[in-house]
Amino acid sequence: MNQIKSHPGEKLIFVVDDDEYFNNLLTAMVVKICERNNISAQVLSFETGRACMAKLELGPSLLLLDFYLDTRNDITATAYDLLEDIHQQVPETYILLISQQEDWTLFKDDLIALGANEFLHKDRELEARLEPIIESVLSTPKA
Amino acid sequence: LTAGSSEKEKKAIEAAGMDDLLLKPFSQAGLMKILGKYVQVKGDEQVDHSGTAPDLTDLMELANGDASFVVNMLQIFLKNSKQDLSGLHEAFTGRDFQKIKGLAHKMIPPCRHLGFEAVVEELKLLENVAEEKNESSVQESVKRISSLLESLYPEIEKELRKLTPSQASSNI
């Protein structure tokens, strides 16, 4: 995990995915997109919901949340279990759900009600789709 | 052979008495895999799914010239994939279909990202048959995934050696 040091104007982004490979991948994508768009941001990665909750008070601007989280546990917990807690604690945070779920339609309304803002798939289009979202959520209007 | 592609069509075709089907356009590896299911290769009790090299295009682009990023990602893939694979076997021994389904689901994105499409297709199939608790299909599917992945690991290790020529000996 990156060190936590705050710079004025620096945005905070959380990546929460229990799959080590995809967690690293997402983190690298987000860092690259921020660099490309001159967005000053710090990315913190978490492999469990618990670890993420412990740092939530830092108030991330954007949170990328894996839909099937904590699959290593006996009970398959999903974002349902975390989403509401996160949204209540940091209602300003933009929550982006990411999954390899092919079809969100069955869940979308429920998840939006719980606080999700947008949905993406773990596919080859991910980086391209991620970029405009990061841009619009994190770009600070020139003062 | 058909260009039709849905799971429903596949089921209909199998119900009509066909043993298998191959969708067009198909790859050499895809054809080999299906042939291998029905043709006993002489002098080789295991069907040889000749390994496909990982597609590193995405990783390389993301790495921005930093080879250590690619190395790290491939090492993570190897470690976790092997862990998940033995998890699959274990879960099958315990007939824990829910666990099998969860593992298969989790294994898909990294495999897809590295271009291991044959494994992805097989993992999707495993998700379905695990959901149906179809014991014999699950067993066969786990076996095929096992054999596919085992053939991919040496290819990944080969890439790793290419990426870390100087560290190859010191890392062991």
Side-chain angles (χ1 to χ4, degrees), chain B residues 79-116:
Chain B
K79 183 189 73 183
N80 291 336
S81 169
K82 286 175 183 178
Q83 224 169 45
D84 292 341
L85 189 56
S86 61
L88 277 182
H89 287 296
E90 239 170 73
F92 181 73
T93 308
R95 299 296 186 271
D96 187 344
F97 295 105
Q98 191 59 36
K99 179 94 188 277
I100 292 173
K101 193 179 162 228
L103 274 169
H105 188 89
K106 170 176 180 269
M107 289 166 82
I108 291 174
C111 283
R112 183 187 284 141
H113 190 249
L114 289 173
F116 299 141

Side-chain angles (χ1 to χ4, degrees), chain A:
Chain A
M1 195 196 295
N2 302 340
Q3 279 189 331
I4 302 168
K5 47 181 189 316
S6 59
H7 296 297
E10 194 180 60
K11 306 281 186 177
L12 195 56
I13 303 173
F14 278 17
V15 171
V16 192
D17 193 322
D18 65 341
D19 180 63
E20 195 183 0
Y21 185 95
F22 232 85
N23 191 314
N24 274 270
L25 194 70
L26 269 177
T27 304
M29 273 183 198
V30 172
V31 168
K32 190 180 161 195
I33 291 170
C34 287
E35 281 172 5
R36 197 158 50 207
N37 292 284
N38 290 317
I39 295 165
S40 165
Q42 174 135 30
V43 186
L44 298 184
S45 318
F46 305 94
E47 285 190 25
T48 63
R50 185 186 293 231
C52 160
M53 292 306 290
K55 294 283 179 206
L56 205 56
E57 62 195 34
L58 294 169
S61 304
L62 171 65
L63 190 146
L64 283 70
L65 179 62
D66 176 36
F67 186 64
Y68 282 88
L69 195 69
D70 293 335
T71 39
R72 275 173 304 193
N73 297 341
D74 289 339
I75 300 160
T76 305
T78 69
Y80 278 109
D81 304 284
L82 257 187
L83 194 56
E84 204 170 5
D85 288 349
I86 294 175
H87 185 59
Q88 268 172 16
Q89 211 173 312
V90 283
E92 300 295 308
T93 300
Y94 187 99
I95 303 174
L96 180 58
L97 278 185
I98 298 182
S99 164
Q100 66 117 338
Q101 193 76 44
E102 315 253 319
D103 189 0
W104 286 106
T105 41
L106 286 172
F107 309 89
K108 228 169 176 165
D109 290 343
D110 277 0
L111 293 169
I112 289 171
L114 290 174
N117 293 88
E118 191 52 89
F119 307 85
L120 289 181
H121 297 154
K122 288 183 175 178
D123 58 18
R124 297 213 161 261
E125 308 299 309
L126 183 57
E127 191 180 337
R129 300 224 162 99
L130 202 53
E131 183 143 9
I133 295 173
I134 290 183
E135 256 191 286
S136 71
V137 175
L138 294 186
S139 289
T140 19
K142 294 255 184 294

Side-chain angles (χ1 to χ4, degrees), chain B residues 10-81:
Chain B
K10 181 175 177 177
K11 288 212 171 96
I13 287 165
E14 281 169 355
M18 301 294 157
D19 290 305
D20 218 320
L21 88 163
L22 185 58
L23 301 174
K24 289 190 275 189
F26 53 85
S27 64
Q28 199 176 332
L31 176 61
M32 275 306 288
K33 189 185 143 205
I34 291 208
L35 286 180
K37 274 161 72 179
Y38 305 102
V39 181
Q40 189 68 41
V41 181
K42 203 181 162 194
D44 191 353
E45 53 170 345
Q46 274 274 316
V47 178
D48 173 39
H49 305 297
S50 47
T52 329
D55 178 358
L56 300 181
T57 329
D58 251 40
L59 281 183
M60 290 291 193
E61 209 188 300
L62 209 52
N64 240 338
D66 175 14
S68 69
F69 173 78
V70 182
V71 169
N72 185 37
M73 291 301 285
L74 289 180
Q75 281 168 344
I76 289 172
F77 178 84
L78 272 182
K79 183 189 73 183
N80 291 336
S81 169

